[in-house]
């Protein structure tokens, strides 16, 4: 859940939150402000490189977070004011055994205090201000213990790791 998205100012950062979420194992992104361009960009990446990644913009974050919790989901809010990532991750992983759905919230500008109160975990990736993109990447990497990078996205294009240059396999059209 991306809160506080300002379409003109944040378009690249919010797109990167979506790209990192997708590449690092999340199943979708919700963005509070309507933004068709970001929806199109993220759908195009999934069309090319595969995977199922849902993109919803114009989401009312407060009712959505309340609904998420009513349905048994857990919420982790990333904030420099939170508890240390390494201290809190064991509790998040323990909680994930009971509720498979974890919502990760990142802000843009100042995050309303309801978010701190509604979150089950307020998580700091270091207690210094930096970036939602970096915080999300670090959080998901710890959450999935690096296994997200072995996922087969089954895309129209698959990148083959190579020492130099670019190797891309294109799926044959049926
Ligand atoms: N000044 C804003 C506030 O007080 O909420 C934060 C703005 S910051 C550029 C945007 C987002 O990056 C934050 O809402 C948070 O999700 C994330 N972020 C930045 N530094 C972080 C940190 N050290 N740990 C976790 N998340 C962080």
């Amino acid at each position: 859940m991306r809160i506080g998205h300002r379409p003109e100012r944040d378009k690249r950062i919010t797109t990167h939150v979506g790209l990192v979420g997708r590449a690092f194992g999340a199943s979708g992104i919700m963005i509070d402000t309507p933004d068709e361009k970001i929806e199109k960009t993220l759908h195009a990446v999934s069309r090319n490189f595969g995977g199922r990644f849902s993109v919803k913009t114009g989401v009312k974050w407060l009712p959505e977070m309340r609904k998420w919790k009513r349905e048994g989901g857990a919420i982790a809010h990333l904030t420099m004011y939170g508890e240390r990532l390494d201290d809190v991750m064991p509790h998040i992983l323990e909680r994930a055994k009971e509720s498979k759905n974890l919502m990760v919230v990142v802000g843009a500008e100042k995050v309303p205090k309801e978010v701190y109160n509604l979150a089950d975990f307020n998580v700091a990736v270091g207690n210094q201000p930096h970036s939602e993109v970096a915080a999300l990447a670090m959080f998901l990497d710890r959450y999935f213990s690096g296994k997200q990078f072995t996922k087969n996205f089954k895309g129209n294009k698959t990148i083959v790791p190579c020492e130099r240059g670019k190797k891309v396999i294109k799926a044959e059209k049926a």
Side-chain angles (χ1 to χ4, degrees), residues 96-134:
K97 287 181 194 159
E98 303 155 26
S99 75
K100 288 237 157 44
N101 293 330
L102 176 68
M103 177 191 287
V104 183
V105 183
V106 295
E109 43 183 2
K110 196 168 189 277
V111 172
K113 73 172 185 316
E114 286 99 325
V115 177
Y116 292 80
N117 295 334
L118 265 175
D120 299 283
F121 308 97
N122 286 292
V123 186
V125 181
N127 293 102
Q128 296 293 326
H130 50 81
S131 145
E132 48 275 50
V133 179

Side-chain angles (χ1 to χ4, degrees), residues 18 50 87-88 127 142 150:
D87 293 344
V88 77
N127 293 102
R142 296 288 169 88
T150 58

Side-chain angles (χ1 to χ4, degrees), residues 42-60:
L42 294 174
H43 283 141
V45 173
S46 294
R47 235 185 350 268
N48 273 319
F49 292 97
R52 285 163 184 264
F53 189 73
S54 73
V55 184
K56 266 196 227 164
T57 72
V59 171
K60 291 189 168 46

Side-chain angles (χ1 to χ4, degrees), residues 24-82:
F24 283 61
S27 55
I29 184 169
M30 293 186 249
I31 300 167
D32 59 348
T33 316
D35 194 326
E36 232 177 80
K37 277 193 195 150
I38 287 190
E39 290 186 17
K40 279 190 185 151
T41 305
L42 294 174
H43 283 141
V45 173
S46 294
R47 235 185 350 268
N48 273 319
F49 292 97
R52 285 163 184 264
F53 189 73
S54 73
V55 184
K56 266 196 227 164
T57 72
V59 171
K60 291 189 168 46
W61 61 268
L62 185 56
E64 193 64 41
M65 281 174 73
R66 287 187 174 140
K67 178 167 155 252
W68 188 272
K69 289 196 69 165
R70 269 200 311 278
E71 291 173 356
I75 299 178
H77 166 224
L78 305 189
T79 163
M80 65 179 173
Y81 303 104

